[in-house]
Amino acid sequence: MKQASFKRFTIFFDQHLFISITLLSVMGLFFLYSASQGNINVVMKQAIFVGFGIFLMFILSQPDPDIYKILSLVFLVTSLLLVLITILFAKEINGAKRWLDLGIFTLQPSELVKIALPIYLASYLFEKPIPIDIRNTFKSLSIIGICFFLIARQPDLGTSLVVSMAGIYILFFAGLSWKFIGSSVLVFLISLPFLWNNFLQPFQQQRILTSLDPSADPFGSGWNITQSKIAIGSGGISGKGFEAGSQSHLDFLPETETDFIFAVIAEEFGFIGVCILLSVYMFILLRCMYLAFNARDRFCRLTIGGLSLVFASTLFINLAMVTGLIPVVGMPLPFISKGGSSLLSFYIAFGIIISMASHKKLMQR
Amino acid sequence: MIGIEDRFIEKRIFKSRLILIYLFFGILFSAFIYRTYTLQVYSYSSYELASIKNKTRSLLVQPKRGIIYDRNGNILINNVPSHDLIIQPAQIKNISKYLDRLNDIILINKEEREYVLERFENRSIYNRELAVKRGLSDEEIARFEVRSYLFPEAVIDKRYRRESEYPHLFSHVLGFVGGAENENMSDILNKQGKALGETLFTYANGYLIGKTGIENTYDDSLRGVFGEKIFEVDAKGKLLKEIDFIEPKDGIDTFTSLDLDAQKVAFEAMAGRKGAVVVVEIESGAIITYLSSPTFSINQISNGISSANFEKLINDKDKPFFDRVSQGRYSPASTIKPAIGLYGLENKIINWDYTIDDPGFFVLPEDQRIYRGWKKGGHGTINLESALIESSNTFFFSLAYQSEINDLIEHLANFGFGKNICVDCFNPGKGLLPSPQWKMNNLNFGWFKGDSVNLGVGQGYLSATPAQLAFYSAFISNKGSLEKLSLINNNIEKDTLVLPASNITNKDWDRIHKSMIGVIENPKGTAKRLKNLKSYNIAAKSGTVELVSLDSKEDYELVRQDISKRDHGIMIAFAPMPNPKYAISVVIENAESGGSVAGPVAVKVLNSLITE
């Protein structure tokens, strides 16, 4: 936390998060250079996003967090409307309507919901007495449900799950009663077969089954996982070297620039590289925990906790997917995978986190 | 609103729940680190292997086949480098236009064009190469190379053709090579401990294997060991660059026992007539000459023959493809007589003083059926020696009539009849040594005394290959024992056939030899016309195979109008006497006489081996 005082105005800034996120972003550009087989256009485009994102993060950390409390409903409604517009009007790509073409770049509105929903829920719940009563619980769950179904309709199961997790984290931190948690987990487990049959597309079911045994179908849906595991495994301790990954450079690995970029990193930089990368992520997460503990009020606490866990969830879903622990769900590696919307949404999230961490209420004790 | 005291509770709850979730993520993190550790460190070697297997494909590199020599070191068949224009059909869309374009630079004639069009589709599917034109001249190469950028799908590359300087001389004994089928290749690769990668086949092209003759029997050693070109490939299997090369091991050069000069003499002497010439070195059983006539060009077959020409060869009525030496079946006719005589001596039915009166025919006591000799009026009073010299049928009819048929058959089997007597001939035939059992099984008839009588003069069911007749000839020359025949002297322990004789003495053998010398030297000998053709003594026995059983010479005059029904001529011989080195058998189909038609061929070949 730094409040650098100048003559006229104060800059709100957290050098730990700022440096580590910038570091990740720059590393990501290098990884992307290799993953895109030296495609400088891809890297340049990403660099523009990174530059803009860091700038955005800086700008968003300046205003007092209370403004986010006020704007949270507008933010959520706007992003949900965008999702709705996407469903209604967007062009279908690979059987899904997820992207809005804005000319200069294509926006994925569901990425915004990922941020907007926890902020809104935090602003809704921060003054509710604890434990959260049934009425507020159901109100919150309804909002989460609307978000979930809208995004799931695109269809984008991965994002819709992360979005609802984001909402549930806030609810949990705000003091959801254990009784309620226990009984809903029970209901969920019981209705699992029903959900499997009615809410999952056949290709999604196939993905889940494949992740349980990828070798059963090595050239079908298991191909991605198998090739990804080969890429990671063959990296060994020290890796094959920058731009020397045969799995990625000879096209065995799918989606090297986006979802499977971690496999490229693991192949080229080995276990050592993986550990270095993960420690940067760990540092960011632990810093967020520290900031959440020391937040100035409940709204900030809940928001920092929720947003940092959205970040953590995205990260671990991606990692688990790439290493074949869970089905392929299409989740980016934060700050590294190519893709404007998710990248920008995390810069926005961290901009808000830094704002909340660096603005202190003098009255507060 | 939330109260002041609740604020502390709220903060505590938040902290404990955040820690709880972080712990949960901590566990996930540890699990993930463990997972990555297992992949990258613990199972590294297996994933590394998988990654290498992913990105590499190996192409087989054919070793040079072993050179085949004759016994004097003359090269019989060799690998001749040839610069071929090779295309990749899979990358060409319109082959007809492509050939037109190529034709502007290198003339592609009609036959070559057809050859390409016939194979284009198949090669394209399996992504194999295809040679458009072989044996390019320096000028053609230069003309193509300066324009090669126009033809990225074509390349001029060195390939080896299997070529013999004497393509017609050794057609059957050396045999020809041809493209390997997939199942051949998988066998070969299994033997050489190579993995059967899909690419080994996909890109497999022009791998040769021996199809017939020595090329086939000794394929394993002639072939050598395949090398491998290892390429890096992308996920689509496209070859990117060569990353490793395992040298092939060339095949082993092979020395045969064949004699180029003697083979040439035999070939010229046969002059394209249907038949066979086989010469055996008596001491070793090595085959010196192996000629089945007529022949065909092995070069043509090995290096791509148009289907029209191939059809012509296959349908030729003289059957040039047929290996008469190993597969032909001919009645030994009168050449069997020395063996029948030896049977008589062994079983003491006759001795050298035993005589009969030959009226020119033999009457079977059972049914008064008449068996005729070749000479009207007969040979008068004859013993074994004169019966062999003059080739009396009556003498041997009578002798066979007195035989115990199973003993006689066993006796003949010792001479190699009805057996494979060659250790490394390609597809050796056994001829047919009939027996009562065989007749019952195959013809559903019992054995008649008349069958035995016919056997006595080598007619009837008995048949032998020219190779067996040569073995038989050498077996007699060597006095009743001989190593099995072979084409390559390669330390394989060879069987030796021995005649188990208790009553036949060395003297008997000498007199058999003497009688056979008389066949040429005696004024009454059936091959007396050969007497002045050589400068040393030859022991011989002629035979004339009747294809149609007739009672009189007049009938034969009618029959011989059809050339294919004329008698076959056979001659077996060995020389120089008294210490024979070489034994020979000559069969000429429809020659009508063993002594005067097959005989001169035998003498010419023996001359080439002995006088020089």
Side-chain angles (χ1 to χ4, degrees), chain B residues 92-115:
Chain B
I92 298 168
K93 285 198 183 97
N94 187 332
I95 182 63
S96 201
K97 270 189 192 159
Y98 197 82
L99 289 177
D100 290 343
R101 281 176 58 212
L102 279 174
N103 192 38
D104 294 340
I105 294 160
I106 295 175
L107 197 68
I108 295 163
N109 66 32
K110 207 179 145 212
E111 200 177 326
E112 285 158 349
R113 198 185 173 89
E114 264 167 32
Y115 179 88

PDB file of all heavy atoms in Angstrom, chain B residues 92-115:
ATOM      1  N   ILE B  92       0.139 -34.409 -56.614  1.00  0.00           N
ATOM      2  CA  ILE B  92      -0.200 -34.007 -57.977  1.00  0.00           C
ATOM      3  C   ILE B  92      -1.686 -34.218 -58.215  1.00  0.00           C
ATOM      4  O   ILE B  92      -2.215 -35.283 -57.910  1.00  0.00           O
ATOM      5  CB  ILE B  92       0.632 -34.811 -58.992  1.00  0.00           C
ATOM      6  CG1 ILE B  92       2.120 -34.523 -58.780  1.00  0.00           C
ATOM      7  CG2 ILE B  92       0.212 -34.470 -60.418  1.00  0.00           C
ATOM      8  CD1 ILE B  92       3.034 -35.463 -59.506  1.00  0.00           C
ATOM      9  N   LYS B  93      -2.329 -33.177 -58.746  1.00  0.00           N
ATOM     10  CA  LYS B  93      -3.765 -33.297 -58.963  1.00  0.00           C
ATOM     11  C   LYS B  93      -4.077 -33.891 -60.318  1.00  0.00           C
ATOM     12  O   LYS B  93      -4.767 -34.890 -60.435  1.00  0.00           O
ATOM     13  CB  LYS B  93      -4.420 -31.915 -58.810  1.00  0.00           C
ATOM     14  CG  LYS B  93      -4.514 -31.492 -57.344  1.00  0.00           C
ATOM     15  CD  LYS B  93      -5.525 -30.380 -57.139  1.00  0.00           C
ATOM     16  CE  LYS B  93      -5.546 -29.942 -55.682  1.00  0.00           C
ATOM     17  NZ  LYS B  93      -4.725 -28.747 -55.438  1.00  0.00           N
ATOM     18  N   ASN B  94      -3.560 -33.264 -61.361  1.00  0.00           N
ATOM     19  CA  ASN B  94      -3.869 -33.747 -62.698  1.00  0.00           C
ATOM     20  C   ASN B  94      -2.623 -34.368 -63.309  1.00  0.00           C
ATOM     21  O   ASN B  94      -1.745 -33.685 -63.831  1.00  0.00           O
ATOM     22  CB  ASN B  94      -4.366 -32.574 -63.550  1.00  0.00           C
ATOM     23  CG  ASN B  94      -4.860 -33.044 -64.895  1.00  0.00           C
ATOM     24  OD1 ASN B  94      -4.406 -34.066 -65.408  1.00  0.00           O
ATOM     25  ND2 ASN B  94      -5.786 -32.297 -65.457  1.00  0.00           N
ATOM     26  N   ILE B  95      -2.530 -35.684 -63.250  1.00  0.00           N
ATOM     27  CA  ILE B  95      -1.309 -36.363 -63.677  1.00  0.00           C
ATOM     28  C   ILE B  95      -1.111 -36.235 -65.175  1.00  0.00           C
ATOM     29  O   ILE B  95       0.007 -36.123 -65.672  1.00  0.00           O
ATOM     30  CB  ILE B  95      -1.312 -37.851 -63.219  1.00  0.00           C
ATOM     31  CG1 ILE B  95      -0.021 -38.554 -63.612  1.00  0.00           C
ATOM     32  CG2 ILE B  95      -2.506 -38.598 -63.780  1.00  0.00           C
ATOM     33  CD1 ILE B  95       1.212 -38.000 -62.980  1.00  0.00           C
ATOM     34  N   SER B  96      -2.203 -36.226 -65.909  1.00  0.00           N
ATOM     35  CA  SER B  96      -2.083 -36.173 -67.359  1.00  0.00           C
ATOM     36  C   SER B  96      -1.414 -34.854 -67.790  1.00  0.00           C
ATOM     37  O   SER B  96      -0.478 -34.848 -68.582  1.00  0.00           O
ATOM     38  CB  SER B  96      -3.478 -36.287 -67.960  1.00  0.00           C
ATOM     39  OG  SER B  96      -3.380 -36.709 -69.281  1.00  0.00           O
ATOM     40  N   LYS B  97      -1.885 -33.757 -67.221  1.00  0.00           N
ATOM     41  CA  LYS B  97      -1.289 -32.457 -67.540  1.00  0.00           C
ATOM     42  C   LYS B  97       0.152 -32.399 -67.054  1.00  0.00           C
ATOM     43  O   LYS B  97       1.019 -31.825 -67.698  1.00  0.00           O
ATOM     44  CB  LYS B  97      -2.110 -31.337 -66.873  1.00  0.00           C
ATOM     45  CG  LYS B  97      -3.231 -30.822 -67.758  1.00  0.00           C
ATOM     46  CD  LYS B  97      -3.845 -29.587 -67.138  1.00  0.00           C
ATOM     47  CE  LYS B  97      -5.147 -29.211 -67.815  1.00  0.00           C
ATOM     48  NZ  LYS B  97      -5.982 -28.372 -66.962  1.00  0.00           N
ATOM     49  N   TYR B  98       0.356 -33.004 -65.885  1.00  0.00           N
ATOM     50  CA  TYR B  98       1.695 -32.980 -65.299  1.00  0.00           C
ATOM     51  C   TYR B  98       2.689 -33.680 -66.218  1.00  0.00           C
ATOM     52  O   TYR B  98       3.792 -33.189 -66.447  1.00  0.00           O
ATOM     53  CB  TYR B  98       1.657 -33.657 -63.926  1.00  0.00           C
ATOM     54  CG  TYR B  98       2.842 -33.334 -63.064  1.00  0.00           C
ATOM     55  CD1 TYR B  98       2.890 -32.156 -62.323  1.00  0.00           C
ATOM     56  CD2 TYR B  98       3.924 -34.203 -62.971  1.00  0.00           C
ATOM     57  CE1 TYR B  98       3.970 -31.838 -61.545  1.00  0.00           C
ATOM     58  CE2 TYR B  98       5.023 -33.894 -62.186  1.00  0.00           C
ATOM     59  CZ  TYR B  98       5.026 -32.709 -61.456  1.00  0.00           C
ATOM     60  OH  TYR B  98       6.106 -32.408 -60.686  1.00  0.00           O
ATOM     61  N   LEU B  99       2.268 -34.820 -66.749  1.00  0.00           N
ATOM     62  CA  LEU B  99       3.149 -35.557 -67.658  1.00  0.00           C
ATOM     63  C   LEU B  99       3.397 -34.748 -68.931  1.00  0.00           C
ATOM     64  O   LEU B  99       4.504 -34.762 -69.466  1.00  0.00           O
ATOM     65  CB  LEU B  99       2.544 -36.920 -67.993  1.00  0.00           C
ATOM     66  CG  LEU B  99       2.550 -37.942 -66.853  1.00  0.00           C
ATOM     67  CD1 LEU B  99       1.867 -39.227 -67.286  1.00  0.00           C
ATOM     68  CD2 LEU B  99       3.962 -38.243 -66.383  1.00  0.00           C
ATOM     69  N   ASP B 100       2.371 -34.042 -69.387  1.00  0.00           N
ATOM     70  CA  ASP B 100       2.560 -33.188 -70.564  1.00  0.00           C
ATOM     71  C   ASP B 100       3.636 -32.144 -70.300  1.00  0.00           C
ATOM     72  O   ASP B 100       4.500 -31.894 -71.143  1.00  0.00           O
ATOM     73  CB  ASP B 100       1.239 -32.484 -70.934  1.00  0.00           C
ATOM     74  CG  ASP B 100       0.223 -33.467 -71.479  1.00  0.00           C
ATOM     75  OD1 ASP B 100       0.629 -34.583 -71.869  1.00  0.00           O
ATOM     76  OD2 ASP B 100      -0.978 -33.124 -71.511  1.00  0.00           O
ATOM     77  N   ARG B 101       3.553 -31.552 -69.108  1.00  0.00           N
ATOM     78  CA  ARG B 101       4.551 -30.539 -68.759  1.00  0.00           C
ATOM     79  C   ARG B 101       5.950 -31.138 -68.683  1.00  0.00           C
ATOM     80  O   ARG B 101       6.911 -30.558 -69.167  1.00  0.00           O
ATOM     81  CB  ARG B 101       4.188 -29.899 -67.410  1.00  0.00           C
ATOM     82  CG  ARG B 101       3.088 -28.836 -67.521  1.00  0.00           C
ATOM     83  CD  ARG B 101       2.710 -28.323 -66.139  1.00  0.00           C
ATOM     84  NE  ARG B 101       3.851 -27.747 -65.427  1.00  0.00           N
ATOM     85  CZ  ARG B 101       4.005 -27.788 -64.115  1.00  0.00           C
ATOM     86  NH1 ARG B 101       3.099 -28.373 -63.361  1.00  0.00           N
ATOM     87  NH2 ARG B 101       5.047 -27.243 -63.548  1.00  0.00           N
ATOM     88  N   LEU B 102       6.030 -32.325 -68.039  1.00  0.00           N
ATOM     89  CA  LEU B 102       7.333 -32.982 -67.930  1.00  0.00           C
ATOM     90  C   LEU B 102       7.863 -33.345 -69.311  1.00  0.00           C
ATOM     91  O   LEU B 102       9.063 -33.261 -69.574  1.00  0.00           O
ATOM     92  CB  LEU B 102       7.204 -34.257 -67.079  1.00  0.00           C
ATOM     93  CG  LEU B 102       7.210 -34.089 -65.565  1.00  0.00           C
ATOM     94  CD1 LEU B 102       6.929 -35.419 -64.894  1.00  0.00           C
ATOM     95  CD2 LEU B 102       8.555 -33.566 -65.086  1.00  0.00           C
ATOM     96  N   ASN B 103       6.938 -33.726 -70.176  1.00  0.00           N
ATOM     97  CA  ASN B 103       7.310 -34.189 -71.502  1.00  0.00           C
ATOM     98  C   ASN B 103       8.019 -33.100 -72.303  1.00  0.00           C
ATOM     99  O   ASN B 103       8.812 -33.388 -73.195  1.00  0.00           O
ATOM    100  CB  ASN B 103       6.050 -34.676 -72.232  1.00  0.00           C
ATOM    101  CG  ASN B 103       6.393 -35.428 -73.483  1.00  0.00           C
ATOM    102  OD1 ASN B 103       7.371 -36.178 -73.502  1.00  0.00           O
ATOM    103  ND2 ASN B 103       5.632 -35.216 -74.531  1.00  0.00           N
ATOM    104  N   ASP B 104       7.750 -31.837 -71.969  1.00  0.00           N
ATOM    105  CA  ASP B 104       8.439 -30.752 -72.668  1.00  0.00           C
ATOM    106  C   ASP B 104       9.930 -30.723 -72.340  1.00  0.00           C
ATOM    107  O   ASP B 104      10.715 -30.125 -73.074  1.00  0.00           O
ATOM    108  CB  ASP B 104       7.810 -29.399 -72.278  1.00  0.00           C
ATOM    109  CG  ASP B 104       6.374 -29.301 -72.784  1.00  0.00           C
ATOM    110  OD1 ASP B 104       6.041 -30.067 -73.705  1.00  0.00           O
ATOM    111  OD2 ASP B 104       5.601 -28.486 -72.244  1.00  0.00           O
ATOM    112  N   ILE B 105      10.275 -31.339 -71.238  1.00  0.00           N
ATOM    113  CA  ILE B 105      11.672 -31.287 -70.805  1.00  0.00           C
ATOM    114  C   ILE B 105      12.361 -32.627 -71.010  1.00  0.00           C
ATOM    115  O   ILE B 105      13.452 -32.716 -71.526  1.00  0.00           O
ATOM    116  CB  ILE B 105      11.727 -30.885 -69.316  1.00  0.00           C
ATOM    117  CG1 ILE B 105      11.214 -29.458 -69.181  1.00  0.00           C
ATOM    118  CG2 ILE B 105      13.143 -30.976 -68.798  1.00  0.00           C
ATOM    119  CD1 ILE B 105      10.789 -29.132 -67.794  1.00  0.00           C
ATOM    120  N   ILE B 106      11.686 -33.682 -70.568  1.00  0.00           N
ATOM    121  CA  ILE B 106      12.233 -35.029 -70.729  1.00  0.00           C
ATOM    122  C   ILE B 106      11.195 -35.845 -71.486  1.00  0.00           C
ATOM    123  O   ILE B 106      10.046 -35.939 -71.047  1.00  0.00           O
ATOM    124  CB  ILE B 106      12.522 -35.667 -69.362  1.00  0.00           C
ATOM    125  CG1 ILE B 106      13.624 -34.899 -68.646  1.00  0.00           C
ATOM    126  CG2 ILE B 106      12.905 -37.126 -69.532  1.00  0.00           C
ATOM    127  CD1 ILE B 106      13.899 -35.372 -67.250  1.00  0.00           C
ATOM    128  N   LEU B 107      11.614 -36.401 -72.599  1.00  0.00           N
ATOM    129  CA  LEU B 107      10.674 -37.152 -73.425  1.00  0.00           C
ATOM    130  C   LEU B 107      10.133 -38.362 -72.652  1.00  0.00           C
ATOM    131  O   LEU B 107      10.887 -39.178 -72.143  1.00  0.00           O
ATOM    132  CB  LEU B 107      11.375 -37.616 -74.696  1.00  0.00           C
ATOM    133  CG  LEU B 107      10.421 -38.040 -75.811  1.00  0.00           C
ATOM    134  CD1 LEU B 107       9.654 -36.840 -76.341  1.00  0.00           C
ATOM    135  CD2 LEU B 107      11.178 -38.737 -76.913  1.00  0.00           C
ATOM    136  N   ILE B 108       8.813 -38.431 -72.546  1.00  0.00           N
ATOM    137  CA  ILE B 108       8.178 -39.575 -71.879  1.00  0.00           C
ATOM    138  C   ILE B 108       7.396 -40.331 -72.947  1.00  0.00           C
ATOM    139  O   ILE B 108       6.449 -39.798 -73.520  1.00  0.00           O
ATOM    140  CB  ILE B 108       7.241 -39.096 -70.762  1.00  0.00           C
ATOM    141  CG1 ILE B 108       8.075 -38.406 -69.676  1.00  0.00           C
ATOM    142  CG2 ILE B 108       6.467 -40.260 -70.164  1.00  0.00           C
ATOM    143  CD1 ILE B 108       7.265 -37.560 -68.751  1.00  0.00           C
ATOM    144  N   ASN B 109       7.842 -41.538 -73.211  1.00  0.00           N
ATOM    145  CA  ASN B 109       7.200 -42.255 -74.319  1.00  0.00           C
ATOM    146  C   ASN B 109       5.878 -42.871 -73.884  1.00  0.00           C
ATOM    147  O   ASN B 109       5.488 -42.828 -72.711  1.00  0.00           O
ATOM    148  CB  ASN B 109       8.143 -43.294 -74.934  1.00  0.00           C
ATOM    149  CG  ASN B 109       8.462 -44.411 -73.959  1.00  0.00           C
ATOM    150  OD1 ASN B 109       7.647 -44.778 -73.131  1.00  0.00           O
ATOM    151  ND2 ASN B 109       9.674 -44.947 -74.059  1.00  0.00           N
ATOM    152  N   LYS B 110       5.207 -43.461 -74.828  1.00  0.00           N
ATOM    153  CA  LYS B 110       3.854 -43.936 -74.592  1.00  0.00           C
ATOM    154  C   LYS B 110       3.825 -45.019 -73.505  1.00  0.00           C
ATOM    155  O   LYS B 110       2.952 -45.027 -72.631  1.00  0.00           O
ATOM    156  CB  LYS B 110       3.294 -44.487 -75.907  1.00  0.00           C
ATOM    157  CG  LYS B 110       1.770 -44.401 -75.977  1.00  0.00           C
ATOM    158  CD  LYS B 110       1.271 -44.930 -77.308  1.00  0.00           C
ATOM    159  CE  LYS B 110      -0.051 -45.654 -77.132  1.00  0.00           C
ATOM    160  NZ  LYS B 110      -0.259 -46.755 -78.045  1.00  0.00           N
ATOM    161  N   GLU B 111       4.815 -45.903 -73.573  1.00  0.00           N
ATOM    162  CA  GLU B 111       4.845 -47.007 -72.614  1.00  0.00           C
ATOM    163  C   GLU B 111       5.064 -46.500 -71.191  1.00  0.00           C
ATOM    164  O   GLU B 111       4.404 -46.924 -70.249  1.00  0.00           O
ATOM    165  CB  GLU B 111       5.958 -47.989 -73.000  1.00  0.00           C
ATOM    166  CG  GLU B 111       5.758 -49.362 -72.392  1.00  0.00           C
ATOM    167  CD  GLU B 111       6.830 -50.332 -72.840  1.00  0.00           C
ATOM    168  OE1 GLU B 111       7.281 -50.207 -74.004  1.00  0.00           O
ATOM    169  OE2 GLU B 111       7.235 -51.181 -72.047  1.00  0.00           O
ATOM    170  N   GLU B 112       5.989 -45.526 -71.076  1.00  0.00           N
ATOM    171  CA  GLU B 112       6.260 -44.948 -69.747  1.00  0.00           C
ATOM    172  C   GLU B 112       5.023 -44.216 -69.228  1.00  0.00           C
ATOM    173  O   GLU B 112       4.704 -44.266 -68.041  1.00  0.00           O
ATOM    174  CB  GLU B 112       7.445 -43.982 -69.838  1.00  0.00           C
ATOM    175  CG  GLU B 112       8.772 -44.697 -69.962  1.00  0.00           C
ATOM    176  CD  GLU B 112       9.860 -43.827 -70.580  1.00  0.00           C
ATOM    177  OE1 GLU B 112       9.550 -42.736 -71.109  1.00  0.00           O
ATOM    178  OE2 GLU B 112      11.010 -44.254 -70.543  1.00  0.00           O
ATOM    179  N   ARG B 113       4.355 -43.545 -70.127  1.00  0.00           N
ATOM    180  CA  ARG B 113       3.147 -42.809 -69.764  1.00  0.00           C
ATOM    181  C   ARG B 113       2.079 -43.767 -69.224  1.00  0.00           C
ATOM    182  O   ARG B 113       1.470 -43.535 -68.178  1.00  0.00           O
ATOM    183  CB  ARG B 113       2.642 -42.074 -70.996  1.00  0.00           C
ATOM    184  CG  ARG B 113       1.684 -40.953 -70.659  1.00  0.00           C
ATOM    185  CD  ARG B 113       1.135 -40.347 -71.936  1.00  0.00           C
ATOM    186  NE  ARG B 113       0.107 -39.395 -71.580  1.00  0.00           N
ATOM    187  CZ  ARG B 113       0.348 -38.120 -71.322  1.00  0.00           C
ATOM    188  NH1 ARG B 113       1.569 -37.645 -71.407  1.00  0.00           N
ATOM    189  NH2 ARG B 113      -0.630 -37.309 -70.969  1.00  0.00           N
ATOM    190  N   GLU B 114       1.906 -44.875 -69.948  1.00  0.00           N
ATOM    191  CA  GLU B 114       0.920 -45.863 -69.507  1.00  0.00           C
ATOM    192  C   GLU B 114       1.296 -46.440 -68.144  1.00  0.00           C
ATOM    193  O   GLU B 114       0.451 -46.629 -67.282  1.00  0.00           O
ATOM    194  CB  GLU B 114       0.833 -47.007 -70.536  1.00  0.00           C
ATOM    195  CG  GLU B 114      -0.309 -46.808 -71.530  1.00  0.00           C
ATOM    196  CD  GLU B 114      -0.192 -47.758 -72.697  1.00  0.00           C
ATOM    197  OE1 GLU B 114       0.305 -48.893 -72.504  1.00  0.00           O
ATOM    198  OE2 GLU B 114      -0.599 -47.357 -73.806  1.00  0.00           O
ATOM    199  N   TYR B 115       2.597 -46.707 -68.006  1.00  0.00           N
ATOM    200  CA  TYR B 115       3.095 -47.265 -66.748  1.00  0.00           C
ATOM    201  C   TYR B 115       2.723 -46.346 -65.575  1.00  0.00           C
ATOM    202  O   TYR B 115       2.244 -46.789 -64.535  1.00  0.00           O
ATOM    203  CB  TYR B 115       4.616 -47.417 -66.851  1.00  0.00           C
ATOM    204  CG  TYR B 115       5.299 -47.961 -65.623  1.00  0.00           C
ATOM    205  CD1 TYR B 115       5.444 -49.330 -65.435  1.00  0.00           C
ATOM    206  CD2 TYR B 115       5.818 -47.101 -64.650  1.00  0.00           C
ATOM    207  CE1 TYR B 115       6.076 -49.821 -64.317  1.00  0.00           C
ATOM    208  CE2 TYR B 115       6.443 -47.594 -63.529  1.00  0.00           C
ATOM    209  CZ  TYR B 115       6.572 -48.960 -63.376  1.00  0.00           C
ATOM    210  OH  TYR B 115       7.194 -49.450 -62.260  1.00  0.00           O
TER     211      TYR B 115
END
